[in-house]
Amino acid sequence: MPWNPEVYNKFKDIRFKPFVDLMDLIEPIDSGNAIDLGCGTGEQSIFLAEKFKQLNFLGVDSSTEMLEKSKVFETENLHFQQSTIEGIADSDKKWDLVFSNAALQWSDNHEALFPKLIKSLNSSGQFAVQMPVQKENTLNKLLYDVANEEPFKSYLKGWKRDSPVLSMDQYAQIMFDGNLENIQIMTKVYPIIAQNHDALFDFISGSALIPYMELLQEDQQQLFAKKFKERIAVNFPKLPAIYAFKRIFLYGVKA
């Protein structure tokens, strides 16, 4: 069950607002090289490239399906490349802007990854990252609970994806240790108004649900989806439902 750009982009208006808020944190840059980690289809990267025309942007993503959609967004100062975020972090390349919108939650071991990304910044380079606060978001909690129950625990052979997203205090320490200044760390709620329970299921089916479904057989997938939807209905008894989707923003400038 690979990334499905159509399902993911069904909620692009909801997903676009945090991108704009993150982009607005970036201070003007005269020139240099920038990277968009986990650029997906590239339809957001193009806004970065247009706003900061003086920068050379590289959008990277590990998904072939997503990058196939990115070709139409290439410009003189925006190009795309297939790569893992870990591969970029381990390279010797230096950046004047490291940007990542709703992608680094898919990379493990933030205690090691984030210092590498911060180290890749040139002096005065900017670090701007946004991720969902998975451990606090209701749908993620419900997904985790269902996966930990039988028969799904056996189907998944006990596997579950523990969120790598750290606390605000932990990120503050990492950013401070990385010699970042003007550190800004905040969480913000982006309410999702769902007219029915399927809408909530669809929202998470384009992201956090994917790795679980990849490990299940077709009949197991159907059973898992049925149980997950039932759990959503129990936890959101009133319709229309409001889902308080939380995201964390991290910003700093390399001294």
Side-chain angles (χ1 to χ4, degrees):
M1 187 178 178
W3 280 99
N4 186 325
E6 282 72 31
V7 173
Y8 185 84
N9 285 332
K10 180 179 178 181
F11 297 92
K12 65 181 178 182
D13 290 340
I14 295 171
R15 302 184 195 278
F16 194 74
K17 293 177 183 177
F19 167 82
V20 173
D21 289 343
L22 181 64
M23 184 171 62
D24 285 347
L25 293 175
I26 302 170
E27 296 294 332
I29 306 174
D30 292 334
S31 63
N33 296 309
I35 189 163
D36 182 3
L37 298 169
C39 64
T41 62
E43 67 175 0
Q44 294 179 341
S45 306
I46 187 65
F47 287 94
L48 279 170
E50 289 179 351
K51 182 174 182 179
F52 302 99
K53 293 182 182 295
Q54 66 278 24
L55 294 179
N56 295 312
F57 276 90
L58 177 65
V60 299
D61 203 282
S62 61
S63 170
T64 302
E65 293 81 13
M66 287 288 187
L67 285 178
E68 186 64 28
K69 303 281 187 178
S70 72
K71 296 177 181 178
V72 298
F73 298 112
E74 287 209 345
T75 65
E76 186 176 344
N77 71 322
L78 173 61
H79 301 280
F80 298 94
Q81 172 185 310
Q82 187 166 16
S83 175
T84 64
I85 291 171
E86 292 78 8
I88 295 295
D90 288 333
S91 72
D92 295 328
K93 183 70 175 178
K94 290 290 187 177
W95 308 99
D96 298 288
L97 170 64
V98 171
F99 180 95
S100 183
N101 179 65
L104 293 185
Q105 73 275 10
W106 291 106
S107 294
D108 294 326
N109 195 5
H110 284 195
E111 294 91 339
L113 177 65
F114 274 58
K116 291 180 181 179
L117 293 176
I118 293 170
K119 186 178 180 181
S120 73
L121 287 168
N122 288 321
S123 178
S124 299
Q126 300 180 59
F127 183 75
V129 171
Q130 178 273 126
M131 302 171 289
V133 188
Q134 294 171 319
K135 294 176 183 177
E136 297 180 18
N137 285 331
T138 302
L139 290 179
N140 290 89
K141 290 179 180 179
L142 297 180
L143 174 59
Y144 189 93
D145 289 344
V146 172
N148 205 38
E149 297 172 0
E150 294 294 354
F152 309 111
K153 186 175 182 179
S154 295
Y155 292 160
L156 295 165
K157 297 180 173 58
W159 181 88
K160 55 186 179 294
R161 190 172 193 280
D162 294 322
S163 173
V165 178
L166 306 175
S167 69
M168 296 174 75
D169 288 349
Q170 288 172 299
Y171 286 122
Q173 189 65 55
I174 290 172
M175 295 169 74
F176 179 75
D177 291 342
N179 207 22
L180 292 186
E181 299 178 340
N182 190 24
I183 294 173
Q184 299 179 56
I185 302 174
M186 66 203 84
T187 56
K188 184 173 180 179
V189 170
Y190 292 84
I192 297 169
I193 308 302
Q195 299 300 318
N196 52 58
H197 297 123
D198 282 345
L200 292 172
F201 175 83
D202 289 345
F203 177 75
I204 198 170
S205 71
S207 54
L209 182 60
I210 291 175
Y212 291 89
M213 289 300 198
E214 287 180 330
L215 296 176
L216 298 173
Q217 302 297 322
E218 185 175 350
D219 59 332
Q220 296 171 349
Q221 290 177 355
Q222 293 174 358
L223 184 61
F224 191 95
K226 180 175 181 294
K227 177 59 68 173
F228 190 21
K229 288 179 180 180
E230 290 174 353
R231 196 62 53 86
I232 290 173
V234 170
N235 282 268
F236 293 89
K238 183 180 178 180
L239 292 173
I242 182 169
Y243 177 39
F245 190 55
K246 304 179 188 70
R247 294 179 180 268
I248 185 170
F249 289 78
L250 308 171
Y251 175 82
V253 180
K254 191 71 171 286

